[in-house]
Amino acid sequence: MNEGLQGLAIRRTTEPREVPEDATATFGTVFTEHMFYMRYETGRGWHGPKIEPLHALGLVPGSSMLHYGQGVFDGLKGFRGRDGEIRLFRPEVHARRLRRSAERLAIPPLAEEWVVESFLRLVDIDRAWVPGERGTAIYLRPTIIAADPAIGLHPSHSYLYFLILSPVGAYYASGSAPVSIVATEEFVRAAPGGLGEAKTPANYAASLLAAERAKEAGFTQVLWLDAVERRWVEEVGTMNIMARLGGEVVTPPLTGTILPGVTRDSALALMRSWGLKVSERPLAIDALIAAAKDRTLSEVWGTGTAAVVSPVGEIGWRGERVCVADGKPGALTRRLYDALTAIQYAEAPDPHGWMVNVPVFN
Ligand SMILES: *Cc1c(COP(=O)(O)O)cnc(C)c1O
């Protein structure tokens, strides 16, 4: 039906650039020399895979994506291991999530094997851009957008899949310094039946004003509550959230409004392998605040590809600010960060088979 990546056409840049000195200074501002793209048209399916020099897309002003947001993306990282090899972290899980996000946005699914192959092929071509220092990575941003040059509201008949790469350092300028988060009752990120479990632009647009308000109030991130009762903790900023309460690690279950994080899944697998008691169960904001006050809450952290784990030092709720334990990164937060990054940089064995080597294709 589809020709797939068999006909991959590669056109290399004729004006190679030096990798800038400060390529990893600010997250997502420097891109590598090439991009991957592929098109979809009704009746033809996905076709025409290409790697070309990074270039502008040339969308007409009436492009449906620009008006109605029919698009999805994902985000994953590749690492230069201590042995010099480049490996991607769980690329097939990210490819699957991209497909699921696409299905929710009525975008025709792109085969997961092709998406993974696009990751490997493009990182291989731009491998000189993968930074080597501990903490740095190559960030992969696969994106699918509606491409019809028309503003009628319906699922587009044509789409563009593209992949770009950005060398990145640690996501937060403050490294692993604890963040302060504030729960909002005014705004919600995602409602039941909505887009919460898809990585799609609308969710991020919906979060921006709340994030600005949180910053004005002196917090780093928003603690998102559920849309119905404004009571159940869902996510923090663009990360999944975990709390260590008494002898248990708690994270909210994936019931449709929460983005199913690959880092979340990996952290759960590690903690279970360490014999910790881990529960995916609803966590009420009042219980979280009460536990912080009576000191049974020992740690809270966010998980996500960008920061891996991000400790939470303080929580704001209804005008009050409460500290999480002593406000410093907790022992389990650090253990998770160390264990995940040791696997990513090939400093430790990879018992779950999470890392995929980027082969040299040509
Ligand atoms: C991407 C994302 C996450 C984290 O997912 P990872 O796969 O761990 O990077 C969590 N929440 C939201 C809203 C996200 O967009």
Side-chain angles (χ1 to χ4, degrees), residues 94 97 189 199 204 235 238-240 259 261-263 304-305:
H94 286 278
R97 187 170 69 190
R189 194 191 82 87
K199 258 196 190 310
Y204 305 87
E235 300 207 50
T238 56
M239 290 181 286
N240 296 113
L259 200 288
V262 179
T263 319
T305 292

Side-chain angles (χ1 to χ4, degrees), residues 49 99 119 220 276-277 294 361:
R99 181 173 59 69
F119 297 164
T220 330
L276 298 176
K277 183 174 180 223
D294 72 18
F361 289 93

